[in-house]
Amino acid sequence: QVQLVESGGGLVQAGGSLRLSCAASGRTFSSITMGWFRQAPGKEREFVTGISRSGSNADYSDSVKGRFTISRDYAKTTVYLQMNNLKPEDTAVYYCAAVFTGSNLYVPRKYSFWGQGTQVTVSS
C-alpha cells in the first residue's frame, strides 16, 4: 500500500510559478512510477507528467512541455512538480498518482494509488 499526500497548491498570477510536492509513504518509493494529473471543473482528469522508477525518464503532455518539470527525491520519498510560466488554463485540482507496474501510463485508471489533490488557481 502506498499513501500519497500533496501540498503546495495555491493562487498565483499568470506568468508565476508554483512547486507541488507529493510525499509517498512506505519503503517502496523506488519501486513505483509516479505521475501528476489534473482535473478542471467539468473536464476529465488528464495526464500532466510522469517519471519512471529510476528517475531517468520523464514524459510531459504537450500543454505543459517546456514549462513544467517533474523530479523525485529518494531520500525524502517525495515527487515534485515545478510549474513555471503558469497560465489561466493550468487552473485545476492537481493529483499525484503511483503505480508499481503497467503500460500506457497516460491513462488515470492505470494508477493504483492517488493523493487527495491540491488546488492550483492561476489568475489572468
Side-chain angles (χ1 to χ4, degrees), residues 12-19 63-69 81-87 90 122:
V12 64
Q13 289 188 333
S17 298
L18 281 174
R19 189 177 79 158
S63 60
V64 307
K65 198 171 294 183
R67 300 187 298 122
F68 290 12
T69 303
L81 179 60
Q82 178 67 44
M83 305 185 294
N84 298 328
N85 190 22
L86 282 160
K87 304 176 180 180
D90 294 318
V122 184

Side-chain angles (χ1 to χ4, degrees), residues 30 32 51-58 70-72 74:
S30 61
I32 51 177
I51 189 166
S52 63
R53 288 172 286 182
S54 68
S56 59
N57 294 299
I70 189 171
S71 61
R72 60 193 300 167
Y74 293 90

Side-chain angles (χ1 to χ4, degrees), residues 28-85:
T28 58
F29 187 71
S30 61
S31 301
I32 51 177
T33 296
M34 303 292 297
W36 285 97
F37 289 77
R38 67 186 181 186
Q39 188 166 18
K43 295 188 176 181
E44 293 186 352
R45 193 169 297 189
E46 64 172 358
F47 174 81
V48 176
T49 179
I51 189 166
S52 63
R53 288 172 286 182
S54 68
S56 59
N57 294 299
D59 201 4
Y60 299 88
S61 67
D62 288 343
S63 60
V64 307
K65 198 171 294 183
R67 300 187 298 122
F68 290 12
T69 303
I70 189 171
S71 61
R72 60 193 300 167
D73 184 324
Y74 293 90
K76 297 181 179 180
T77 65
T78 298
V79 171
Y80 301 99
L81 179 60
Q82 178 67 44
M83 305 185 294
N84 298 328
N85 190 22

Side-chain angles (χ1 to χ4, degrees), residues 6 35-48 92-97 106-109 111 113-118:
E6 300 105 331
W36 285 97
F37 289 77
R38 67 186 181 186
Q39 188 166 18
K43 295 188 176 181
E44 293 186 352
R45 193 169 297 189
E46 64 172 358
F47 174 81
V48 176
V93 177
Y94 283 70
Y95 297 91
C96 176
Y106 305 100
V107 179
R109 62 180 173 84
Y111 288 78
F113 309 100
W114 291 85
Q116 80 286 357
T118 185

